[in-house]
Amino acid sequence: MIREDEDKIYVCRCEEVTVGDVRRAIEAGADSIRDIKLRTHAGMGVCQGMTCRKNIERMLREKKIDPDACHTSQRFPVRMVQLGELARLVKEEQHE
Amino acid sequence: MNKDVIVIGGGIIGCAIAYSLQKRGKSVVLLEKHNLVAGASGACDQGILLQSKAPNEHLLLGIRAMEMYKELGRELGRDLEFTQKGYMLLMESELECRVMDGIIEKQRALGLPVERISADEALRRQPGINREEIVGATWCPWDSEVNPYMTALAYADRAAELGCDIRTRTPVTGLVMEGGAVKGVVTPQETMYAETVIDACGVWAPEIGRMAGLEIPIRPRRGQVYITEAVPLFMRCNLLNARYIVAKHHPELLAGDHSLKAQLGVGFCMTQSGKGNVMFGATREFAGMDNRCTLDGLREVLAEATRLMPAVKELNVIRTMSGLRPYSPDSKPLIGFVDGVPGFFMAAGHEGDGVSLAPTTGKMVADLIIDGTTDVPAAASFNPNRFDLRPKAP
């Protein structure tokens, strides 16, 4: 059961996902960080899970689920970057 | 354990099949090695593209799938974010226009509302395109979008509500064979029996095929894409360049091109999700089972996107993604019973069309298994026995 206050506590600030949302995803069968991400969009925002990941892992462990059994891929970029800036860097690098 | 059907593979195809069979009263277990949508279904875009379909029964199939998507959210009890913003195909030469004009004429004859528009009209419909690089475009308002992960999970959840047994982290380690027929599957936990075993494993389909003594000609074809932060409406419609569709009809267009871009199969597509993230790509490379993003791939995709759509430079990228499409040699999936191996049914090889064709594939598989026949257009052309599936002598 989801307590009322759990829908007021945000786990993922970027995508506005609450504790209640994550608990509902676990009840629907999500058993990994990646499942939680696909069902709730937690971790899909600008910080890419840097803030919420630890908390969601803890929520999974509390349910006796091993969050390492299915993690998400770490992908470029580490931090958000403007595409124009990225294109400029690539061009400079190729001219060197 | 005894079931009517065992579906191997928890991607959008396996989930659609499990739902379609369970809905018609079959008892179904779905086995997934990792978690649901772990492969191509979890690394795809949202397009339901009709313009890319050959102007024959395949276009009729695409239209049927699009019509099914209109009702699917209600049927599965979830908002699948189905919208119809339409797609524009950007053309960069007079030759591309001539080829596309021929295709459009045939598509229109089959009922698809697709039209040729000028470069200026293309810019009016979607600001930010590079006017210098295009000579015209095609436009089809029926091309659509859907949330692909939501769709696959909605299929799985609804199937489970109807009684389907869905088991994740359950790899199939072997098939139960009796006299050349498939009778069940072996997992680390137990042996399960069923009348029909379906291989819906996408790029992993050949692994299951080998357990039945078959050589399934599906290969992983990698695609690399960028995803930006969510922004207000940026894409009024979806974009694609026409080059790959044209090259299917005129292979010589790409044959002489040995650039890195051509080697990596870089095409241009761009779309914006309901949340506001803009996604663009993509490469089409054969790199084995390696699904990492590469520096070369990301550089070439970025160069192509900023060339055709310079406005994208204003956006911030938050993630890149790479996935493996299940490529089949004639660009058509393998769907049907395999001759000579009773009980073994193939449903894989959709390459980039898995999301588009999931509803029709689910229906077609249920029809074939329960009725032995189907009214889904183009079904006969997906017969897996069009390929020689027997292993070649060494």
Side-chain angles (χ1 to χ4, degrees):
Chain A
M1 280 297 101
I2 316 296
R3 294 201 320 266
E4 203 180 310
D5 62 337
E6 290 179 334
D7 278 329
K8 293 177 186 157
I9 306 166
Y10 286 88
V11 181
C12 168
R13 293 180 302 195
C14 305
E15 296 285 310
E16 299 183 358
V17 179
T18 67
V19 170
D21 294 330
V22 174
R23 289 218 194 287
R24 270 186 287 272
I26 292 172
E27 280 174 14
D31 61 357
S32 68
I33 282 278
R34 193 165 185 279
D35 273 342
I36 301 277
K37 173 177 166 178
L38 292 173
R39 283 183 183 270
T40 68
H41 294 177
M44 281 188 176
V46 291
C47 89
Q48 287 289 298
M50 284 188 190
T51 310
C52 62
R53 185 187 186 101
K54 290 281 176 206
N55 287 327
I56 294 172
E57 283 178 350
R58 202 183 75 192
M59 290 175 69
L60 285 168
R61 279 200 200 90
E62 282 170 358
K63 294 283 175 190
K64 308 288 181 217
I65 296 166
D66 175 11
D68 293 329
C70 181
H71 54 83
T72 58
S73 315
Q74 306 284 337
R75 301 279 198 190
F76 171 89
V78 175
R79 291 202 200 294
M80 188 164 82
V81 55
Q82 198 188 39
L83 284 159
E85 177 72 0
L86 188 61
R88 192 182 61 76
L89 289 170
V90 169
K91 206 167 269 175
E92 274 178 12
E93 189 189 81
Q94 280 168 341
H95 285 173
E96 269 170 20
Chain B
M1 185 170 89
N2 237 310
K3 289 277 180 186
D4 292 330
V5 183
I6 296 169
V7 179
I8 313 173
I12 193 166
I13 296 298
C15 293
I17 291 170
Y19 164 73
S20 304
L21 284 163
Q22 191 76 43
K23 182 178 77 168
R24 293 196 57 189
K26 289 287 174 187
S27 66
V28 181
V29 58
L30 184 148
L31 305 175
E32 163 54 47
K33 179 165 65 168
H34 301 293
N35 56 332
L36 296 178
V37 296
S41 307
C44 54
D45 77 7
Q46 55 181 4
I48 300 169
L49 188 56
L50 300 174
Q51 287 192 65
S52 61
K53 304 290 178 286
N56 52 36
E57 56 183 359
H58 290 273
L59 177 60
L60 300 178
L61 173 73
I63 293 173
R64 178 77 167 270
M66 182 270 287
E67 298 287 351
M68 287 177 78
Y69 262 115
K70 283 185 176 170
E71 301 301 321
L72 191 63
R74 196 173 322 154
E75 186 177 333
L76 299 178
R78 196 172 302 179
D79 179 9
L80 304 178
E81 298 169 23
F82 177 86
T83 49
Q84 285 190 300
K85 287 206 295 190
Y87 261 80
M88 247 177 358
L89 268 53
L90 305 180
M91 300 184 290
E92 300 174 52
S93 68
E94 290 305 327
L95 172 64
E96 288 185 11
C97 292
R98 272 204 309 281
V99 174
M100 290 307 295
D101 281 346
I103 298 172
I104 287 173
E105 194 184 319
K106 291 179 192 157
Q107 288 177 327
R108 288 178 65 91
L110 288 169
L112 188 72
V114 52
E115 59 182 301
R116 169 76 181 279
I117 58 175
S118 68
D120 290 331
E121 173 68 9
L123 255 81
R124 198 184 62 74
R125 286 185 184 273
Q126 178 57 56
I129 297 172
N130 190 348
R131 177 69 178 79
E132 305 299 309
E133 296 289 331
I134 66 165
V135 297
T138 67
W139 162 251
C140 174
W142 281 10
D143 289 325
S144 326
E145 314 84 45
V146 71
N147 182 326
Y149 317 139
M150 193 71 85
T151 303
L153 294 170
Y155 269 129
D157 291 350
R158 187 71 191 115
E161 282 167 21
L162 294 172
C164 178
D165 184 356
I166 294 184
R167 301 193 186 184
T168 55
R169 308 214 185 144
T170 306
V172 167
T173 54
L175 297 177
V176 182
M177 304 287 293
E178 273 176 35
V182 174
K183 297 287 185 184
V185 307
V186 182
T187 75
Q189 290 80 33
E190 64 178 305
T191 300
M192 305 175 181
Y193 297 89
E195 283 166 28
T196 308
V197 172
I198 302 179
D199 179 358
C201 295
V203 294
W204 292 277
E207 277 182 36
I208 302 296
R210 272 192 289 278
M211 296 175 189
L214 299 169
E215 198 73 55
I216 308 295
I218 291 173
R219 295 170 66 197
R221 197 180 216 183
R222 185 166 67 189
Q224 303 185 42
V225 301
Y226 284 82
I227 300 162
T228 76
E229 65 182 324
V231 290
L233 185 67
F234 182 78
M235 301 297 293
R236 295 186 195 167
C237 65
N238 306 290
L239 297 178
L240 194 77
N241 65 345
R243 192 187 303 132
Y244 271 87
I245 293 168
V246 171
K248 272 189 195 169
H249 300 262
H250 289 267
E252 71 278 6
L253 258 183
L254 288 179
D257 187 348
H258 301 293
S259 67
L260 186 56
K261 178 172 106 174
Q263 283 174 39
L264 296 173
V266 174
F268 171 67
C269 60
M270 188 175 284
T271 176
Q272 185 174 19
S273 73
K275 279 196 309 179
N277 303 87
V278 175
M279 181 193 271
F280 63 92
T283 59
R284 291 152 70 94
E285 334 147 57
F286 292 111
M289 294 300 275
D290 181 353
N291 79 339
R292 287 175 296 187
C293 291
T294 65
L295 195 53
D296 279 346
L298 292 179
R299 269 190 193 140
E300 293 297 322
V301 167
L302 181 62
E304 186 71 345
T306 50
R307 178 178 73 86
L308 287 168
M309 182 75 174
V312 77
K313 288 181 183 173
E314 304 293 322
L315 302 181
N316 293 310
V317 58
I318 59 171
R319 186 171 175 83
T320 54
M321 181 169 74
S322 164
L324 303 173
R325 310 175 187 91
Y327 156 92
S328 108
D330 61 2
S331 307
K332 291 198 274 284
L334 288 76
I335 307 174
F337 281 106
V338 175
D339 288 348
V341 190
F344 191 69
F345 192 106
M346 282 299 309
H350 292 70
E351 195 168 354
D353 263 344
V355 175
S356 286
L357 299 184
T360 46
T361 300
K363 175 175 165 31
M364 180 181 158
V365 173
D367 287 352
L368 289 178
I369 288 175
I370 296 167
D371 310 323
T373 179
T374 181
D375 63 354
V376 171
S381 70
F382 301 143
N383 188 330
N385 304 297
R386 69 187 185 275
F387 295 112
D388 179 11
L389 302 178
R390 292 286 151 195
K392 316 289 172 289

